[in-house]
Amino acid sequence: MVALRAVCVFCGSSAPAERRYLDAARALGALIARRNISLVYGGGSTGLMGELADAALGEGGRVVGVIPVGLFAREVNHTGLTELHEVGSMHERKQLMYDLSDAFIALPGGLGTLEELAEVATWSQLGLHSKPVVLLDVAGFWEPLTAQLDRMVGAGLLQPASRGLIQQARSAEEALATLTGAQPAQPERWITAEER
């Protein structure tokens, strides 16, 4: 069982045409706040990021943003957050988001979301942490990725235990239930945090 004090959500800073992605971001942000869980995210005010943060703030939630200084020009930082951390690089952003969080949820997003998801799952595979990771699969968005992960297992390129590090949920409620019910992974430690 995982105690969720803070959940990091990876998601896009773009506004997709499909309203259901925006609705899912709002539903997740609101539910996280109602459950008295802090939201940690990329600090932006646009797209899914903005919808997620606004929904959590609208429910009186604590929202912590982490954004690299150089992205202020493109990802307009959210000015109404509980906390906004400015960091010097994308790596520092991911490290601080990780440090502040007990678990991770990936909403739909682009390359940045995919990269954040892959890195945090890899850190778990390498034994650097045992924090659970869940894909919030809105309207089958993540199905091609889960099929690819299964293909990697079938090809002998990914161990089944490592495949199990990335869970899947179809709603905000299921995502939080999956995180709280997760058994901490006990992977073999391949490297230390300092070697990361």
Side-chain angles (χ1 to χ4, degrees), residues 9-88:
V9 178
F10 304 132
C11 61
S13 61
S14 297
E18 292 244 15
R19 296 293 308 169
R20 52 191 163 181
Y21 298 146
L22 298 168
D23 293 343
R26 282 189 215 103
L28 180 60
L31 183 63
I32 287 172
R34 285 196 302 271
R35 298 271 176 92
N36 203 28
I37 300 168
S38 294
L39 168 65
V40 177
Y41 85 116
S45 63
T46 60
L48 296 183
M49 279 192 190
E51 297 292 335
L52 174 77
D54 287 343
L57 291 167
E59 293 287 334
R62 181 173 182 269
V63 182
V64 179
V66 183
I67 191 166
V69 174
L71 278 186
F72 274 20
R74 289 190 58 86
E75 275 183 25
V76 180
N77 63 299
H78 200 299
T79 58
L81 303 180
T82 312
E83 293 177 28
L84 180 65
H85 298 271
E86 297 177 38
V87 294

